Amino acid sequence: MPKSKDPCNQHACDIQACLQRNHYVMESCRQVILNLQKCCDECENRSKHCAALSGLIAQVTRTEPK
C-alpha cells in the first residue's frame, strides 16, 4: 500500500488504533492526540486531519483532572 502524502495521516491512523484498543476512552489516547496537534502545528494545518483536531483536543481537556 503506498504511503499517504498527507503529512499527518499516520497520526490520525494512530489515534483510530489507540481509541479502538482503549474502548474509545479519549484520555487513554491523550498523547497520541497531542502528537496530531504537533503535526498540524508543524505543517501549518495543511493536513485534512487537522480539521477534526479541535474537537478531539476539547474532549481530552474536558477529561483532565483538576
Side-chain angles (χ1 to χ4, degrees):
M1 177 178 272
K3 281 192 164 191
S4 172
K5 292 183 182 186
D6 189 306
C8 300
N9 187 64
Q10 185 59 52
H11 295 288
C13 292
D14 293 345
I15 290 171
Q16 287 296 333
C18 182
L19 289 171
Q20 288 175 348
R21 227 181 8 258
N22 291 287
H23 307 286
Y24 296 90
V25 175
M26 293 294 249
E27 183 54 34
S28 298
C29 300
R30 184 177 191 279
Q31 188 56 53
V32 182
I33 293 168
L34 294 176
N35 290 343
L36 175 60
Q37 181 180 29
K38 181 179 178 190
C39 181
C40 290
D41 291 344
E42 289 173 355
C43 78
E44 298 176 349
N45 295 313
R46 287 190 298 262
S47 167
K48 67 182 179 183
H49 301 289
C50 296
L53 185 60
S54 61
L56 289 172
I57 295 296
Q59 288 182 35
V60 169
T61 56
R62 269 185 282 183
T63 62
E64 284 183 7
K66 304 263 179 201

